[in-house]
């Protein structure tokens, strides 16, 4: 099973979480790819499971490197490919647009025919007003808040990765 995490980061937190997810998915071997270093998305079809990670910047916007990269996804056939998402945000500072960028990636993955995994329940610790990343009472991927709730990140990552592995290896 070949797994890759494609991530973008502006201040480093999403890379940190990508490394946590890679470690939590052991013994699966996981490649980490920073979308800032890529000028196309062709490598995506080399993998059996894709994980896309993005923080939300601006006001509900995609992080800059993802913004530059996202159109490359129109050049690859993701039909049936499993894609799981994780997103970082700040629910106290940006509680009306918490992790909105995850929804942008979700909709792109869906439009490209991917099979989206890793929907995530909204547990009682989250404290935000609104998020476009919520679909049918679930986040459309793992929502993390390193700014305010980093103490939950380890457990959230561990649980999400276990759930992902259970789906990928039923
Ligand atoms: C100027 C600025 C704008 C931000 N906009 C949002 C936002 O719209 N929604 C959100 O949930 N978080 C927002 N955040 C929080 C970041 O997503 C959060 O700090 C994230 O962990 C950064 O990830 P990175 O270090 O990988 O770039 C913003 C942070 C800053 C400094």
């Amino acid at each position: 099973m070949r797994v890759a995490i494609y991530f973008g980061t502006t201040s480093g937190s999403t890379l940190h979480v990508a490394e946590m997810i890679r470690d939590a998915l052991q013994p699966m071997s996981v490649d980490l790819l920073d979308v800032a270093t890529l000028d196309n998305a062709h490598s995506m079809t080399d993998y059996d499971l894709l994980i896309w990670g993005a923080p939300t910047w601006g006001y509900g916007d995609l992080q800059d490197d993802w913004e530059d990269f996202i159109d490359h996804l129109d050049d690859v056939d993701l039909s049936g490919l499993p894609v799981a998402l994780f997103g970082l945000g700040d629910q106290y500072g940006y509680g009306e647009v918490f992790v909105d960028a995850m929804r942008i990636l979700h909709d792109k993955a869906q439009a490209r025919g991917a099979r989206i995994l890793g929907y995530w329940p909204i547990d009682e610790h989250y404290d935000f007003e609104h998020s476009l990343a919520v679909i049918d009472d679930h986040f459309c991927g793992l929502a993390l808040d390193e700014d305010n709730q980093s103490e939950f990140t380890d457990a959230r990552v561990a649980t999400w990765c276990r759930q992902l592995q259970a789906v990928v290896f039923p």
Side-chain angles (χ1 to χ4, degrees):
M1 161 84 36
R2 292 157 301 173
V3 184
I5 301 175
Y6 289 79
F7 69 93
T9 186
T10 298
S11 51
S13 296
T14 305
L15 168 60
H16 172 63
V17 170
E19 290 169 341
M20 292 173 73
I21 291 173
R22 177 191 61 194
D23 294 347
L25 286 173
Q26 279 177 3
M28 290 162 107
S29 106
V30 180
D31 292 343
L32 251 54
L33 295 105
D34 184 340
V35 296
T37 67
L38 304 176
D39 56 16
N40 65 68
H42 297 315
S43 60
M44 294 227 177
T45 53
D46 295 340
Y47 295 98
D48 306 301
L49 170 64
L50 300 173
I51 299 173
W52 297 351
T56 300
W57 278 88
Y59 195 74
D61 301 330
L62 204 48
Q63 187 263 345
D64 283 349
D65 300 319
W66 268 111
E67 192 70 59
D68 292 341
F69 180 78
I70 192 166
D71 285 347
H72 293 307
L73 295 170
D74 293 333
D75 303 328
V76 288
D77 181 9
L78 302 180
S79 303
L81 246 180
V83 172
L85 307 169
F86 69 96
L88 276 71
D90 168 358
Q91 63 201 300
Y92 299 159
Y94 297 87
E96 294 283 344
V97 285
F98 179 51
V99 297
D100 273 17
M102 205 158 49
R103 179 60 181 271
I104 301 171
L105 294 185
H106 171 275
D107 288 357
K108 175 60 83 175
Q110 198 165 55
R112 301 304 301 144
R115 173 182 164 223
I116 300 171
L117 309 176
Y119 289 87
W120 181 246
I122 305 169
D123 68 42
E124 71 278 12
H125 299 300
Y126 290 107
D127 184 11
F128 63 98
E129 295 301 316
H130 187 262
S131 173
L132 288 178
V134 173
I135 301 174
D136 293 338
D137 294 333
H138 281 67
F139 288 111
C140 59
L142 177 64
L144 297 170
D145 184 342
E146 284 291 275
D147 296 351
N148 307 295
Q149 293 189 346
S150 59
E151 71 273 25
F152 296 129
T153 299
D154 267 334
R156 285 171 172 165
V157 164
T159 304
W160 187 73
C161 287
R162 265 200 310 277
Q163 289 176 1
L164 214 52
Q165 283 173 314
V167 175
V168 180
F169 299 119

